[in-house]
Amino acid sequence: MSKPNIAAVGMARTDGQEALGKASPKPCPGQPPSPVPPGDTFGLGSDVSSIQHGILHHLRCSLARAVTLARTHDWWRATCLMAQARILDRFIRTQAVHNKSGARRVYYLSLEYLMGRLLRNNLCNLGILDETTTALAQLGFDIRQILDEEEDMGLGNGGLGRLAACFLDSLATLDYPAVGYGILYEYGLFRQAFDENGRQAETADDWEPDANPWPIRRPEFKQTVPLYGTVEMAYDDSGDLRPRWHYTQALVGIPCDIPIVGHDTGTVNFLRLWEARASNEFDFQLFNEGGYIAAVQQKAVSETISKVLYPKDNTETGKTLRLIQQIFFVSCSLQDLIRRFKRDNQLPDGHAHWDLFPEKVAIQLNDTHPSIAVAELMRLLVDIERLPWETAWGIATRVFAYTNHTLLPEALEKWSVPLFGHILPRHLQIIYEINRRFLQLVEKQWPGDDAKKSALSLIEEGPVKMVRMAHLAVVGSHAVNGVAALHTRLLRESLFADFDRLNPRLIQNKTNGITPRRWLRACNPLLSQLLDGRLGSSAWTKDLGKLRALEPLADDPAFQREFMAVKHANKAHLAKLVHRLCGITIDPNAIFDVQIKRLHEYKRQHLNLLHILTLYRRLLHDPHLDVHPRVFIFGAKAAPGYELAKDIIQAINATAARVNHDPRINGKLKVAYLPDYRVTLAEQIIPAADISEQISTAGKEASGTGNMKLALNGALTIGTLDGANVEILEEVGAENIFIFGKTVEQINELQAQGYNPWDYYNGDEELREVLNWLVSGYFTPATSPHAFDNLRRSLLEHGDPYCVLADYRPYLQAQARADNAYRSSAIWAKKAILNTVRVGKFSSDRTIHEYARDIWCLKPVPVPHS
């Protein structure tokens, strides 16, 4: 750890103490390095002096730390608070502009937001990264030390949460009024390590939200969420017979706001996250009677709701917790946005102007997790606000829109009717009424077709009736979108085919995107500087399509050398990280072959493993085999209860243990599985990647966004025609991507004919030998020689559901093409450059513009810079 520059700080203290003798707005003695610059009333300037002043002020007056005793973590917190002060100043002005203009807002409901670290991104978007770097350097700190003190926020898991975070960044950058809603989890998904056998081990991801400087608690806006109980019909004060819910438990949601800073704009939106509290946290009478534990039991039980992201749902208790999590954050969010609407849209008689609600409010459901919002809004409008059903339903179907993120029917959430009715009895009544009315429309469209009614119903019949949450989202929304062109086509043709026939205008495409602020500007500063210099500006940061202007330079030998020098520097940096995390020495001159994504069979990390084993076996047979040295880099977590995914992780690590220490192959292959994959790790891997593995079974990946991040940073894709790979192919050109494998149509035809993986196993000697080798005991520990038998069984006896063996040989052929291309530095450099400059379509700014235009009917509301 570097020591702070005491001399510089000491001078700062002296200057500050002298200034105290004069009229000065500074509240604490001894903190500023120099007087607040003239005109900077609140000390929020963007020059080096004001920034240094702010850091020292917060170190002393917010954290109560003396300079000589402060730890690096204290300097990080002080730097965050300096930035937060500038952010909140913009936030207050943003909300004033939005409120004065009566702006229509979009409310984005998502169960997860994979935010990563915020300090660097916030400094970058504020436009003070360079000034803060200098200010910290003058205090004796390398900014990288400070940035490394920050924990990744434990608010998300995979692509769904990272997409939500990118969307928030784009909404603020493009000046769209927006609020994100979610849960402030005390613990993230989990921290991943590997045991002595290379198997995943999970520990709690305690990212310390209470110690994080970014969330701002707003207890004055708390909301109450009812649960359990019974519903009866009773007369209200007007003599009308209405349902009355006698709930027996309630949760209280406390909102915490995380400001979202737009880049090169005055706009700061916010993400509102809910913490769960008991409605009656402490039973004083019970405590006095000696029931000390029971007195706080309700508090402890209630707070589990926001304790953990994605609790296991393979038990009844886990299912209950998941469902309560969903209604908790949805109800809090809807009550909150209704409160905001009623505050600003009242009729002269004091009642809310409900006709304006669809004009002021757009609500986006990010996947099926928040789809209970359809029933909850109806409850709030009908039961609480006393609107007629038809009026309430007209409002609901005008404000809701739903994004689907999966083509896997088993991934679409369903809840058993008994469980659902036990926890949310009023909501179950509302869903049945929605369903009754909806099936009347189905009857008009297809008279007498009971099979069609059964297929479209919100309730799935069977031994245990199930509530189909995706169907609820579709029926309650005015727009449903897929997240890639292929995905949307398959929604129309298969998953939601009957809904599409019922309303051909309902389903539309919005191909996903990524924010170039984090995924190029911030994570790859060397490449950003090169692009800025050649373009003459950094305008591409807000208009990624401007990189197309660099296409002619793809053939320029000088630019190729500069581009590949950046790549080599990033690879050298990653090599140090790999050595620190894995104890493996890797050569930056090797091909860095990267697969970083959630561990799932359909993403086919085990296909990648079969390729590694094939190369390893070939090299053992011929140590002089002409292959370019290659490093295979993995990053992925498996769900704690997903044993086969854990088997795949263990098999990769077991292979790595053999490959990395086998002198017979002369270091031509290395395998590194980096533990605890997260945003911060991705930010260091992606700029260094040469090859991007996007090898999911065609028709299974909705879109993918890792493919976009890697291509933007100059990695070449080896992939199937799945998800957004199809559109990446269209943008970068067939000669700059390595496509292999069966298409969706070919997969469907193969399975319709009766796919038999044994045919591929028996017909390909190399494949057969590799699979047999994997389970031979050579790679497994002596204590568990059959550790990988289940993996082999999944590929053979269990039918290979994701067609790994069918795509094995085409995959090896694509890898050979990539190996051959890499041997020519000029050819590879051109391909890499064209990937970077041609993927402007995949900016989340483009995606958000399309949502705003086609679904939300949202207009930008510019906020002037200070």
Side-chain angles (χ1 to χ4, degrees), residues 59-113:
L59 185 70
R60 185 180 181 90
C61 298
S62 300
L63 303 178
R65 286 286 185 180
V67 165
T68 53
L69 299 177
R71 305 161 301 164
T72 306
H73 192 74
D74 299 319
W75 288 99
W76 165 71
R77 285 178 58 83
T79 305
C80 290
L81 292 171
M82 174 279 299
Q84 184 82 314
R86 285 149 179 78
I87 292 167
L88 294 180
D89 183 56
R90 292 190 185 188
F91 167 76
I92 290 168
R93 283 187 281 110
T94 298
Q95 298 309 306
V97 170
H98 289 175
N99 293 336
K100 184 176 181 180
S101 66
R104 174 178 172 83
R105 288 182 175 89
V106 61
Y107 297 92
Y108 196 82
L109 271 59
S110 180
L111 199 57
E112 57 173 294
Y113 294 87

Coordinates of all heavy atoms in Angstrom, one line a residue, residues 59-113:
L59 N -13.0 12.8 3.9 CA -12.2 12.0 4.8 C -12.3 12.4 6.2 O -12.4 11.6 7.2 CB -10.7 12.0 4.3 CG -9.7 11.1 5.0 CD1 -10.0 9.6 4.7 CD2 -8.3 11.5 4.7
R60 N -12.3 13.7 6.4 CA -12.3 14.3 7.8 C -13.7 14.4 8.4 O -13.9 14.0 9.5 CB -11.6 15.6 7.8 CG -11.4 16.3 9.1 CD -10.7 17.6 9.0 NE -10.5 18.2 10.3 CZ -9.4 18.1 11.1 NH1 -8.4 17.2 10.7 NH2 -9.3 18.7 12.2
C61 N -14.6 15.0 7.6 CA -15.9 15.4 8.2 C -17.0 14.4 8.0 O -18.0 14.4 8.7 CB -16.3 16.7 7.5 SG -15.2 18.1 7.9
S62 N -16.8 13.5 7.0 CA -17.8 12.4 6.8 C -17.4 11.1 7.4 O -18.2 10.3 7.9 CB -18.1 12.2 5.3 OG -18.6 13.4 4.7
L63 N -16.1 10.8 7.4 CA -15.6 9.5 7.9 C -14.8 9.7 9.2 O -14.4 8.6 9.8 CB -14.7 8.9 6.8 CG -15.3 8.7 5.4 CD1 -14.3 8.1 4.5 CD2 -16.5 7.8 5.5
A64 N -14.6 10.9 9.6 CA -13.9 11.1 10.9 C -12.5 10.5 10.9 O -12.1 9.8 11.9 CB -14.7 10.7 12.1
R65 N -11.8 10.6 9.8 CA -10.5 10.0 9.7 C -9.4 11.1 9.6 O -9.5 12.0 8.7 CB -10.4 9.1 8.5 CG -11.1 7.8 8.7 CD -10.3 6.8 9.6 NE -11.0 5.5 9.7 CZ -10.5 4.5 10.4 NH1 -9.4 4.7 11.1 NH2 -11.2 3.4 10.5
A66 N -8.4 11.0 10.4 CA -7.2 11.8 10.1 C -6.4 11.3 9.0 O -6.3 10.1 8.7 CB -6.4 11.9 11.4
V67 N -5.8 12.2 8.3 CA -5.0 11.8 7.1 C -3.9 10.8 7.5 O -3.7 9.8 6.7 CB -4.4 13.1 6.4 CG1 -3.3 12.7 5.5 CG2 -5.5 13.9 5.8
T68 N -3.3 11.0 8.6 CA -2.2 10.1 8.9 C -2.6 8.7 9.4 O -1.8 7.8 9.4 CB -1.4 10.8 10.1 OG1 -2.3 11.1 11.1 CG2 -0.6 12.0 9.6
L69 N -3.9 8.6 9.7 CA -4.4 7.3 10.2 C -5.3 6.6 9.1 O -5.7 5.5 9.3 CB -5.2 7.5 11.5 CG -4.4 8.0 12.7 CD1 -5.3 8.2 13.9 CD2 -3.2 7.1 13.0
A70 N -5.6 7.3 8.0 CA -6.6 6.8 7.1 C -6.0 5.6 6.3 O -4.8 5.6 5.9 CB -7.0 7.8 6.1
R71 N -6.8 4.5 6.2 CA -6.5 3.4 5.4 C -6.8 3.6 3.9 O -7.5 4.6 3.6 CB -7.2 2.1 5.8 CG -7.1 1.8 7.3 CD -8.2 0.9 7.8 NE -9.5 1.5 7.6 CZ -10.6 0.9 7.6 NH1 -10.6 -0.4 7.8 NH2 -11.8 1.5 7.4
T72 N -6.3 2.8 3.0 CA -6.7 2.9 1.6 C -8.2 2.8 1.4 O -8.7 3.6 0.6 CB -6.0 1.8 0.8 OG1 -4.6 1.8 1.0 CG2 -6.2 2.0 -0.7
H73 N -8.8 2.0 2.2 CA -10.3 1.9 2.1 C -11.0 3.2 2.5 O -12.0 3.6 1.9 CB -10.8 0.8 3.0 CG -12.2 0.4 2.8 ND1 -12.6 -0.4 1.7 CD2 -13.3 0.6 3.5 CE1 -13.9 -0.6 1.7 NE2 -14.4 0.0 2.8
D74 N -10.4 3.9 3.4 CA -11.0 5.2 3.8 C -10.8 6.2 2.6 O -11.7 7.0 2.4 CB -10.3 5.8 5.0 CG -10.5 4.8 6.2 OD1 -11.6 4.3 6.4 OD2 -9.5 4.7 7.0
W75 N -9.7 6.2 2.0 CA -9.5 7.1 0.8 C -10.4 6.7 -0.3 O -10.9 7.6 -1.0 CB -8.0 7.0 0.4 CG -7.1 7.6 1.3 CD1 -6.3 7.0 2.2 CD2 -6.8 9.0 1.4 NE1 -5.5 7.9 2.9 CE2 -5.8 9.2 2.4 CE3 -7.2 10.2 0.7 CZ2 -5.3 10.4 2.8 CZ3 -6.7 11.4 1.1 CH2 -5.8 11.5 2.1
W76 N -10.7 5.4 -0.5 CA -11.7 5.1 -1.5 C -13.1 5.6 -1.1 O -13.8 6.2 -2.0 CB -11.8 3.5 -1.6 CG -13.0 3.1 -2.3 CD1 -13.3 3.2 -3.7 CD2 -14.2 2.5 -1.7 NE1 -14.5 2.7 -3.9 CE2 -15.1 2.2 -2.8 CE3 -14.5 2.1 -0.4 CZ2 -16.4 1.6 -2.6 CZ3 -15.8 1.5 -0.2 CH2 -16.7 1.3 -1.3
R77 N -13.5 5.5 0.1 CA -14.8 6.0 0.5 C -14.9 7.5 0.4 O -15.9 8.0 -0.1 CB -15.1 5.6 2.0 CG -15.5 4.1 2.2 CD -15.7 3.7 3.6 NE -16.8 4.6 4.2 CZ -18.1 4.3 4.1 NH1 -18.5 3.2 3.4 NH2 -19.0 5.1 4.7
A78 N -13.8 8.2 0.8 CA -13.8 9.6 0.6 C -13.9 10.0 -0.8 O -14.6 11.0 -1.1 CB -12.5 10.2 1.3
T79 N -13.2 9.3 -1.7 CA -13.3 9.6 -3.1 C -14.7 9.4 -3.6 O -15.2 10.2 -4.4 CB -12.3 8.8 -3.9 OG1 -11.0 9.0 -3.4 CG2 -12.2 9.2 -5.4
C80 N -15.3 8.3 -3.2 CA -16.7 8.0 -3.6 C -17.6 9.1 -3.1 O -18.5 9.6 -3.9 CB -17.2 6.7 -3.0 SG -16.4 5.2 -3.7
L81 N -17.4 9.6 -1.9 CA -18.3 10.6 -1.4 C -18.1 12.0 -2.1 O -19.0 12.7 -2.3 CB -18.1 10.8 0.1 CG -18.5 9.6 1.0 CD1 -18.1 9.7 2.4 CD2 -20.1 9.4 0.9
M82 N -16.8 12.2 -2.5 CA -16.6 13.4 -3.3 C -17.4 13.3 -4.6 O -18.0 14.3 -5.0 CB -15.1 13.5 -3.6 CG -14.7 14.6 -4.5 SD -14.9 14.3 -6.3 CE -13.8 12.8 -6.5
A83 N -17.3 12.2 -5.3 CA -18.1 12.0 -6.5 C -19.6 12.0 -6.3 O -20.3 12.7 -7.0 CB -17.7 10.7 -7.2
Q84 N -20.0 11.4 -5.2 CA -21.4 11.4 -4.9 C -22.0 12.8 -4.7 O -23.2 13.0 -5.1 CB -21.7 10.5 -3.6 CG -23.1 10.3 -3.2 CD -23.8 9.2 -4.0 OE1 -23.7 9.1 -5.2 NE2 -24.5 8.3 -3.3
A85 N -21.2 13.6 -4.0 CA -21.7 15.0 -3.8 C -22.0 15.7 -5.2 O -23.1 16.4 -5.3 CB -20.7 15.8 -3.1
R86 N -21.2 15.5 -6.2 CA -21.4 16.1 -7.5 C -22.6 15.4 -8.2 O -23.3 16.0 -8.9 CB -20.1 16.0 -8.3 CG -19.0 17.0 -7.9 CD -17.6 16.5 -8.1 NE -16.7 17.5 -7.6 CZ -16.4 17.8 -6.3 NH1 -16.9 17.0 -5.4 NH2 -15.5 18.7 -6.0
I87 N -22.7 14.1 -8.0 CA -23.8 13.3 -8.6 C -25.1 13.8 -8.0 O -26.1 14.0 -8.8 CB -23.6 11.8 -8.3 CG1 -22.4 11.3 -9.1 CG2 -24.8 11.0 -8.7 CD1 -21.9 9.9 -8.7
L88 N -25.2 14.0 -6.7 CA -26.5 14.3 -6.1 C -26.9 15.7 -6.5 O -28.1 16.0 -6.6 CB -26.4 14.2 -4.6 CG -26.2 12.7 -4.1 CD1 -26.1 12.7 -2.6 CD2 -27.3 11.9 -4.6
D89 N -25.9 16.6 -6.7 CA -26.2 18.0 -7.2 C -26.9 17.9 -8.5 O -27.9 18.5 -8.8 CB -24.9 18.8 -7.2 CG -25.2 20.2 -7.7 OD1 -26.0 20.9 -7.0 OD2 -24.6 20.7 -8.7
R90 N -26.4 17.0 -9.4 CA -27.0 16.8 -10.7 C -28.4 16.1 -10.6 O -29.3 16.4 -11.3 CB -26.1 16.0 -11.6 CG -24.8 16.7 -12.0 CD -24.1 15.9 -13.1 NE -22.8 16.5 -13.5 CZ -22.1 16.1 -14.5 NH1 -22.5 15.1 -15.3 NH2 -20.9 16.7 -14.8
F91 N -28.4 15.2 -9.6 CA -29.7 14.4 -9.4 C -30.8 15.3 -9.0 O -31.9 15.2 -9.5 CB -29.4 13.4 -8.3 CG -30.7 12.7 -7.8 CD1 -31.3 11.8 -8.6 CD2 -31.2 13.1 -6.6 CE1 -32.5 11.2 -8.1 CE2 -32.3 12.5 -6.1 CZ -33.0 11.5 -6.8
I92 N -30.5 16.3 -8.1 CA -31.6 17.2 -7.6 C -32.0 18.1 -8.8 O -33.2 18.3 -9.0 CB -31.0 18.0 -6.5 CG1 -30.9 17.1 -5.2 CG2 -32.0 19.2 -6.2 CD1 -30.1 17.8 -4.1
R93 N -31.1 18.5 -9.6 CA -31.5 19.4 -10.8 C -32.3 18.5 -11.8 O -33.2 19.0 -12.4 CB -30.3 20.0 -11.4 CG -29.7 21.2 -10.6 CD -28.6 21.9 -11.2 NE -27.3 21.2 -11.1 CZ -26.7 20.6 -12.1 NH1 -27.2 20.6 -13.3 NH2 -25.6 20.0 -11.9
T94 N -31.9 17.3 -12.0 CA -32.6 16.4 -12.9 C -34.0 16.2 -12.5 O -34.9 16.3 -13.3 CB -31.9 15.0 -13.0 OG1 -30.6 15.2 -13.5 CG2 -32.6 14.1 -13.9
Q95 N -34.2 15.9 -11.2 CA -35.6 15.6 -10.8 C -36.4 16.9 -10.9 O -37.6 16.9 -11.2 CB -35.6 15.1 -9.3 CG -34.9 13.8 -9.2 CD -35.4 12.7 -10.2 OE1 -36.6 12.4 -10.3 NE2 -34.5 12.1 -10.9
A96 N -35.8 18.1 -10.6 CA -36.5 19.3 -10.7 C -37.0 19.6 -12.2 O -38.1 20.0 -12.4 CB -35.7 20.5 -10.3
V97 N -36.1 19.3 -13.1 CA -36.4 19.5 -14.6 C -37.5 18.5 -15.0 O -38.5 18.9 -15.6 CB -35.2 19.3 -15.4 CG1 -35.6 19.2 -16.9 CG2 -34.2 20.4 -15.2
H98 N -37.4 17.2 -14.5 CA -38.4 16.2 -14.9 C -39.8 16.6 -14.3 O -40.8 16.5 -15.0 CB -38.0 14.9 -14.4 CG -36.9 14.3 -15.1 ND1 -36.3 13.1 -14.8 CD2 -36.2 14.7 -16.2 CE1 -35.3 12.8 -15.6 NE2 -35.2 13.8 -16.5
N99 N -39.8 17.0 -13.0 CA -41.1 17.4 -12.4 C -41.7 18.6 -13.0 O -42.9 18.6 -13.2 CB -40.9 17.6 -10.9 CG -40.5 16.3 -10.2 OD1 -40.8 15.2 -10.7 ND2 -39.8 16.4 -9.0
K100 N -40.9 19.6 -13.3 CA -41.4 20.8 -13.9 C -42.0 20.6 -15.3 O -43.0 21.2 -15.7 CB -40.3 21.9 -14.0 CG -40.8 23.2 -14.5 CD -39.7 24.3 -14.5 CE -40.2 25.6 -15.0 NZ -39.1 26.6 -15.0
S101 N -41.4 19.7 -16.0 CA -41.9 19.4 -17.4 C -43.0 18.4 -17.4 O -43.6 18.2 -18.5 CB -40.7 18.9 -18.2 OG -40.3 17.6 -17.8
G102 N -43.3 17.8 -16.3 CA -44.4 16.8 -16.3 C -44.0 15.6 -17.1 O -44.8 15.0 -17.8
A103 N -42.7 15.2 -17.1 CA -42.2 14.2 -18.0 C -42.9 12.8 -17.8 O -43.2 12.4 -16.7 CB -40.7 14.1 -17.8
R104 N -43.1 12.2 -18.9 CA -43.4 10.7 -18.9 C -42.2 10.0 -18.5 O -41.1 10.2 -19.0 CB -43.9 10.3 -20.2 CG -44.2 8.8 -20.4 CD -44.8 8.6 -21.8 NE -44.9 7.1 -22.1 CZ -45.9 6.4 -21.8 NH1 -46.9 6.9 -21.1 NH2 -46.0 5.1 -22.1
R105 N -42.3 9.0 -17.6 CA -41.2 8.2 -17.2 C -41.4 6.7 -17.5 O -42.5 6.2 -17.5 CB -40.9 8.3 -15.7 CG -40.4 9.6 -15.2 CD -40.2 9.6 -13.7 NE -39.5 10.8 -13.1 CZ -40.2 11.9 -12.7 NH1 -41.5 11.9 -12.8 NH2 -39.5 12.9 -12.3
V106 N -40.3 6.0 -17.7 CA -40.3 4.6 -17.7 C -39.8 4.0 -16.4 O -38.8 4.5 -15.8 CB -39.5 4.0 -18.9 CG1 -38.0 4.3 -18.8 CG2 -39.7 2.5 -19.0
Y107 N -40.5 3.0 -15.9 CA -40.2 2.4 -14.7 C -39.8 0.9 -15.0 O -40.6 0.2 -15.5 CB -41.3 2.4 -13.7 CG -41.7 3.8 -13.2 CD1 -42.7 4.5 -13.9 CD2 -41.1 4.4 -12.2 CE1 -43.1 5.8 -13.6 CE2 -41.5 5.7 -11.8 CZ -42.4 6.4 -12.5 OH -42.8 7.7 -12.1
Y108 N -38.5 0.6 -14.8 CA -37.9 -0.6 -15.2 C -37.9 -1.6 -14.0 O -37.2 -1.3 -13.0 CB -36.5 -0.4 -15.8 CG -36.0 -1.5 -16.6 CD1 -36.3 -1.6 -17.9 CD2 -35.1 -2.4 -16.0 CE1 -35.8 -2.7 -18.7 CE2 -34.6 -3.4 -16.8 CZ -34.9 -3.6 -18.2 OH -34.4 -4.6 -18.9
L109 N -38.6 -2.7 -14.1 CA -38.7 -3.6 -13.0 C -37.9 -4.9 -13.3 O -38.1 -5.6 -14.3 CB -40.2 -4.1 -12.8 CG -41.0 -3.2 -11.8 CD1 -41.1 -1.8 -12.3 CD2 -42.4 -3.8 -11.7
S110 N -36.9 -5.1 -12.5 CA -35.9 -6.2 -12.7 C -35.5 -6.8 -11.4 O -35.2 -6.0 -10.4 CB -34.7 -5.7 -13.5 OG -33.8 -6.8 -13.7
L111 N -35.5 -8.1 -11.3 CA -35.1 -8.7 -10.0 C -33.6 -8.6 -9.8 O -33.1 -8.9 -8.7 CB -35.6 -10.2 -10.0 CG -35.7 -10.9 -8.6 CD1 -36.6 -10.1 -7.7 CD2 -36.2 -12.3 -8.8
E112 N -32.9 -8.3 -10.8 CA -31.4 -8.2 -10.6 C -30.8 -7.1 -11.5 O -31.3 -6.8 -12.6 CB -30.7 -9.5 -10.9 CG -31.0 -10.1 -12.3 CD -30.1 -11.4 -12.5 OE1 -28.9 -11.2 -12.6 OE2 -30.7 -12.5 -12.7
Y113 N -29.7 -6.5 -11.0 CA -28.9 -5.5 -11.7 C -27.5 -5.8 -11.4 O -27.0 -5.7 -10.2 CB -29.3 -4.1 -11.2 CG -30.7 -3.6 -11.5 CD1 -31.7 -3.9 -10.6 CD2 -30.9 -2.9 -12.6 CE1 -33.0 -3.5 -10.9 CE2 -32.2 -2.5 -12.9 CZ -33.2 -2.8 -12.0 OH -34.5 -2.4 -12.3

